[in-house]
C-alpha cells in the first residue's frame, strides 16, 4: 500500500479532538439545563418562617438573645384551645330608697320582717319599704298605741311598740325610744318599756279628764270595762268643773314599775296634776295634785288601765301602793 501524504495524516488527528470538544460542550449544556430546571421548580416544603420555633431558636442562638425573649407568639400552637367563658359577675344588691313620711303616710323604721302591726290592738294594713313599714295616716287616730309582732325564729315571737301622736310627726322607729324588741307570745304580750307605760299614763288620764268635760264616760280610753265603771262614780263628783286638756301632768314613777310575768300585769305609781275652772262661769281656776296607783292588764292586743286608785303622799313617798280592789 502506498504511504499517505503528510497533510492527510495531520487532518486525521484533528477530527477526534473536535468530536471530543463537541461531546464536552453537550455535557455542559445538559448539566446547565438540568440545574436550571431544579432552580425553577417550586420547593415541596414551605420555607421556614420567622415564627417557626426551630428557626427562632437558631436565630436566638446566633444572635445571643435568650430564647425566652423571643416573641410569645412563637410558643403558641397553631390551633389554640377554645377559651372558657368567665362566669358573669354577681350583680350588687339594689339599695332600697327609705320611705318618706308625709301628711298622708306614717313611716315606722326598723320594722321586723313578716310582722303584724296593730293600732290600739286592731291589725292594720301596711307595706314594707326595705326595713320601713308605711301606714296610711288615716289608719291612726291622733294619739294611739302602735305595736309590731313578728316571728323571731324557732316558733318564738318578738315585739316592739311606739306611741303615735300627731303633734310629734309621722316618722317613728320601733325598738328605739320606747324600748327594744323583746320576746313575747303570739299576741304581743311582754313586759312593756318604761316609756310605753309613761305615755299610756298620760293618754289614759287625758281621756279621764275629757270624760268629765264631755260628761260622757264613753270618752274613756285605754281602760278596762271594770275600771271605767269605777271611774264613772268618781267622775260624777267632778261634773261642775271643766279641765284644761292642754295643761296637765300625768307621769309614771319608773322606779315603782313592777311586771308580774305570772299574770301579765303591771303595777306602778303615778303623779297627776290637773287645772280646772267652774264649768258655768269659767272662773276661779284651781289645780288638783294627787298620787295614784295604777294596774295595767293586757287586753284586746294592748295595755289598758285596770285600776286607778288614790294614794296619799306619805305612802307614795314610802314606795307603797294603794290597796287593789
Amino acid at each position: 500500500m502506498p504511504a499517505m501524504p503528510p497533510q492527510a495524516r495531520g487532518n486525521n488527528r484533528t477530527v477526534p479532538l473536535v468530536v471530543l470538544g463537541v461531546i464536552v460542550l453537550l455535557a455542559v449544556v445538559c448539566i446547565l439545563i438540568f440545574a436550571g430546571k431544579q432552580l425553577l421548580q417550586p420547593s415541596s416544603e414551605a420555607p421556614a418562617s420567622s415564627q417557626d420555633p426551630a428557626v427562632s431558636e437558631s436565630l436566638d442562638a446566633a444572635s445571643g438573645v435568650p430564647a425566652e425573649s423571643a416573641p410569645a407568639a412563637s410558643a403558641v400552637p397553631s390551633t389554640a384551645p377554645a377559651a372558657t367563658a368567665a362566669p358573669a359577675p354577681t350583680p350588687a344588691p339594689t339599695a332600697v330608697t327609705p320611705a318618706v313620711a308625709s301628711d298622708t303616710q306614717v313611716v315606722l323604721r326598723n320594722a321586723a320582717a313578716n310582722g303584724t302591726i296593730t293600732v290600739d290592738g286592731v291589725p292594720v294594713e301596711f307595706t314594707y319599704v326595705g326595713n320601713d313599714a308605711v301606714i296610711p295616716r288615716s289608719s291612726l287616730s291622733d294619739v294611739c298605741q302602735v305595736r309590731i309582732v313578728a316571728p323571731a325564729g324557732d316558733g318564738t315571737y318578738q315585739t316592739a311598740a311606739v306611741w303615735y301622736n300627731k303633734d310629734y310627726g309621722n316618722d317613728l322607729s320601733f325598738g328605739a325610744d320606747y324600748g327594744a324588741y323583746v320576746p313575747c307570745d303570739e299576741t304581743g304580750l311582754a313586759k312593756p318599756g318604761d316609756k310605753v307605760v309613761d305615755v299610756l299614763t298620760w293618754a289614759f288620764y287625758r281621756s279621764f279628764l275629757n270624760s268629765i268635760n264631755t260628761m260622757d264616760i264613753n270618752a274613756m280610753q285605754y281602760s278596762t270595762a271594770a275600771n271605767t265603771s269605777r271611774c264613772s262614780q268618781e267622775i260624777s263628783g267632778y261634773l261642775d268643773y271643766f279641765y284644761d286638756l292642754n295643761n296637765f301632768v300625768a307621769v309614771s314613777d319608773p322606779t315603782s314599775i313592777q311586771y308580774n310575768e305570772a299574770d301579765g300585769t303591771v303595777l306602778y305609781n303615778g303623779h297627776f296634776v290637773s287645772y280646772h275652772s267652774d264649768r258655768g262661769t269659767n272662773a276661779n281656776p284651781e289645780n288638783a295634785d294627787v298620787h295614784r296607783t295604777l294596774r295595767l292588764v293586757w287586753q284586746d292586743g294592748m295595755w289598758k288601765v285596770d285600776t286607778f286608785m288614790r294614794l296619799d303622799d306619805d305612802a307614795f313617798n314610802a314606795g307603797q301602793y294603794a290597796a287593789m280592789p
Side-chain angles (χ1 to χ4, degrees):
M1 171 181 264
M4 294 182 66
Q7 183 177 3
R9 290 195 299 268
N11 290 339
N12 288 338
R13 289 193 300 268
T14 302
V15 171
L17 293 174
V18 171
V19 172
L20 179 61
V22 170
I23 293 172
V24 171
L25 179 61
L26 290 174
V28 171
V29 170
C30 290
I31 292 171
L32 292 175
I33 292 173
F34 178 79
K37 288 182 178 181
Q38 292 297 319
L39 291 174
L40 294 175
Q41 181 177 355
S43 176
S44 61
E45 296 180 359
S49 70
S50 61
Q51 302 302 319
D52 189 341
V55 175
S56 298
E57 182 176 351
S58 299
L59 293 175
D60 293 339
S63 62
V65 179
E68 58 266 25
S69 66
S74 65
V76 178
S78 59
T79 304
T84 302
T90 303
T94 303
V96 177
T97 302
V100 178
S102 68
D103 292 340
T104 59
Q105 67 181 24
V106 175
V107 176
L108 298 159
R109 314 290 179 187
N110 192 34
N114 303 316
T116 298
I117 294 180
T118 61
V119 174
D120 286 341
V122 179
V124 296
E125 295 291 332
F126 70 95
T127 56
Y128 279 107
V129 178
N131 292 328
D132 301 335
V134 180
I135 303 177
R137 170 64 182 90
S138 58
S139 297
L140 293 87
S141 56
D142 290 349
V143 176
C144 52
Q145 294 182 54
V146 183
R147 178 174 297 275
I148 185 169
V149 180
D154 300 327
T156 62
Y157 294 86
Q158 60 181 334
T159 186
V162 297
W163 274 92
Y164 173 75
N165 187 323
K166 69 177 182 62
D167 294 333
Y168 297 105
N170 292 345
D171 196 317
L172 302 94
S173 180
F174 287 122
D177 293 343
Y178 292 89
Y181 278 87
V182 295
C184 67
D185 66 13
E186 61 183 347
T187 71
L189 172 61
K191 179 181 179 180
D194 290 354
K195 190 171 181 179
V196 171
V197 173
D198 194 54
V199 179
L200 173 58
T201 304
W202 176 89
F204 164 76
Y205 191 61
R206 185 179 185 276
S207 74
F208 177 82
L209 299 179
N210 190 42
S211 293
I212 300 171
N213 289 350
T214 60
M215 300 184 185
D216 182 5
I217 196 62
N218 293 318
M220 290 275 290
Q221 293 180 291
Y222 311 114
S223 176
T224 64
N227 183 65
T228 299
S229 178
R230 285 191 296 269
C231 287
S232 66
Q233 300 176 24
E234 182 178 349
I235 286 174
S236 63
Y238 305 144
L239 297 181
D240 290 338
Y241 304 110
F242 191 87
Y243 290 81
D244 187 348
L245 299 184
N246 295 313
N247 185 21
F248 66 90
V249 174
V251 295
S252 62
D253 174 14
T255 64
S256 69
I257 298 175
Q258 294 184 358
Y259 176 65
N260 188 336
E261 190 172 0
D263 62 5
T265 60
V266 180
L267 187 69
Y268 66 101
N269 291 328
H271 182 209
F272 302 87
V273 179
S274 60
Y275 297 88
H276 60 276
S277 58
D278 183 272
R279 183 182 293 272
T281 64
N282 200 33
N284 302 318
E286 299 178 5
N287 73 296
D289 189 329
V290 298
H291 291 98
R292 291 178 181 263
T293 295
L294 298 87
R295 182 174 62 200
L296 306 181
V297 297
W298 182 255
Q299 189 177 97
D300 301 326
M302 63 176 172
W303 289 107
K304 293 182 179 181
V305 176
D306 185 51
T307 302
F308 185 56
M309 307 296 293
R310 280 181 175 266
L311 179 68
D312 64 60
D313 293 346
D314 291 340
F316 174 83
N317 293 330
Q320 300 173 1
Y321 301 93
M324 295 290 102

